[in-house]
């Protein structure tokens, strides 16, 4: 990340010790540090979850066990980080199968405090990528075995992490059209999950993957500096509440 222009700082507690916690994935225990990243030039802040072993593996290996371990690890890390930092998070926006297990973990006893106020929204970009793995790996999650059903995470003898989004508040496809396509049995866009998506009912919606040119389109003679757009954003926020 340093090569991409990030300055990284480990978060420490009042005694100057790194803020870290263990995350169990099956019989593995991954010690995880919290790191603040500051983007050089624009000052954008990001919270990074750092485990030296998992960081060496390519995250988007969709059909390999290491991708599975990382997704299970990351989903727990999110909730553990909230607890470690004492944050009162009201909304979590998840993206795709790599993060959807958060919606199931938050219902388990260790995260009852977060569950009381946390609402979860998931964006689905392409249900071809489901986080699908063999049934023999399900117990690595530490989630209740009662979730391994067709109404839960089971999927044709395997299990699919993407199905965990059902436990969230809302799910969004990348357009209204796409939201209908992934529910249509005659359309391959649903990749076998058409019935699952239909079961979400009105909780599955579409959000246009683009911009509203009526608000953001350039007009002749309009200034294009950062100050102008900051004021424009403030004005839109004021009007829309």
């Amino acid at each position: 990340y340093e090569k991409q222009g990030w300055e990284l700082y480990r978060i420490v507690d009042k005694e100057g010790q790194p803020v870290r916690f263990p995350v169990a994935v099956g019989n593995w225990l991954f010690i995880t540090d919290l790191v603040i990243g500051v983007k050089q030039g624009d000052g954008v802040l990001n919270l990074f979850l750092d485990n030296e072993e998992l960081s060496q593996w390519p995250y988007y290996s969709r059909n390999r066990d290491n991708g599975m371990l990382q997704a299970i690890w990351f989903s727990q890390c999110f909730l553990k980080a909230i607890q470690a930092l004492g944050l009162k998070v009201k909304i979590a926006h998840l993206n795709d199968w790599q993060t959807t297990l958060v919606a199931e973990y938050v219902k388990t006893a260790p995260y009852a405090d977060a569950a009381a106020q946390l609402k979860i929204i998931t964006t689905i970009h392409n249900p071809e990528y489901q986080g699908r793995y063999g049934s023999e790996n399900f117990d690595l999650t530490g989630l209740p075995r009662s979730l391994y059903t067709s109404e839960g995470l089971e999927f044709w003898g395997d299990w699919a992490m993407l199905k965990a989004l059902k436990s969230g508040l809302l799910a969004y496809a990348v357009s209204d059209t796409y939201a209908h396509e992934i529910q249509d049995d005659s359309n391959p866009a649903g990749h076998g999950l058409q019935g699952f998506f239909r079961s979400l009912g009105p909780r599955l919606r579409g959000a246009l993957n683009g911009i509203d040119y009526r608000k953001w389109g350039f007009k002749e003679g309009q200034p294009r500096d950062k100050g102008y757009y900051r004021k424009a954003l403030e004005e839109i926020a004021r009007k829309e509440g």
Side-chain angles (χ1 to χ4, degrees):
Y1 285 98
E2 290 91 339
K3 294 180 180 178
Q4 299 175 20
W6 290 93
E7 296 178 5
L8 302 179
Y9 305 90
R10 293 197 181 277
I11 299 177
V12 297
D13 59 22
K14 294 180 179 179
E15 285 72 41
Q17 298 300 311
V19 176
R20 57 168 52 115
F21 43 76
V23 179
V25 181
N27 293 325
W28 290 281
L29 195 64
F30 299 107
I31 305 301
T32 304
D33 287 2
L34 296 181
V35 178
I36 286 288
V38 182
K39 186 71 170 181
Q40 297 175 7
D42 56 22
V44 172
L45 296 178
N46 271 271
L47 177 63
F48 290 91
L49 302 162
D50 181 42
N51 174 272
E52 185 174 355
E53 184 176 5
L54 289 175
S55 297
Q56 305 306 311
W57 293 347
Y59 186 84
Y60 293 106
S61 296
R62 291 183 291 269
N63 300 312
R64 299 178 183 176
D65 286 352
N66 58 340
M68 176 184 63
L69 293 179
Q70 287 175 314
I72 295 171
W73 165 79
F74 182 87
S75 295
Q76 294 181 79
C77 280
F78 171 76
L79 296 168
K80 286 180 177 289
I82 289 175
Q83 291 181 326
L85 297 175
L87 300 177
K88 303 298 182 183
V89 179
K90 294 183 178 181
I91 298 176
H93 181 190
L94 310 180
N95 284 272
D96 299 321
W97 69 267
Q98 292 94 342
T99 60
T100 46
L101 286 181
V102 170
E104 293 294 352
Y105 281 121
V106 76
K107 297 190 300 181
T108 61
Y111 309 112
D113 53 342
Q117 60 183 354
L118 183 63
K119 306 301 182 185
I120 293 177
I121 298 170
T122 304
T123 294
I124 308 160
H125 293 91
N126 186 348
E128 179 180 2
Y129 306 115
Q130 304 165 356
R132 181 175 176 176
Y133 295 96
S135 61
E136 70 277 8
N137 295 307
F138 180 80
D139 290 334
L140 291 174
T141 65
L143 289 167
R145 192 71 186 180
S146 58
L147 287 174
Y148 188 73
T149 65
S150 58
E151 292 75 26
L153 303 183
E154 189 270 339
F155 186 57
W156 293 100
D158 296 328
W159 63 289
M161 295 186 194
L162 187 63
K163 292 184 70 180
L165 64 85
K166 190 173 186 177
S167 291
L169 178 66
L170 296 170
Y172 281 89
V174 293
S175 73
D176 284 328
T177 300
Y178 196 52
H180 286 92
E181 288 176 347
I182 62 177
Q183 299 179 68
D184 184 353
D185 286 331
S186 66
N187 194 312
H191 294 279
L193 287 170
Q194 288 91 332
F196 167 73
F197 289 131
R198 287 195 298 271
S199 73
L200 298 176
R203 294 194 297 134
L204 175 59
R205 305 176 182 182
L208 185 61
N209 188 10
I211 63 174
D212 185 341
Y213 286 101
R214 292 170 298 180
K215 292 180 179 179
W216 303 109
F218 287 119
K219 296 182 176 65
E220 188 67 30
Q222 190 177 66
R224 303 189 182 190
D225 60 277
K226 291 182 179 179
Y228 170 82
Y229 282 103
R230 183 173 63 250
K231 292 178 181 177
L233 280 170
E234 292 171 351
E235 180 65 15
I236 290 172
R238 184 185 67 79
K239 289 181 179 179
E240 299 187 0

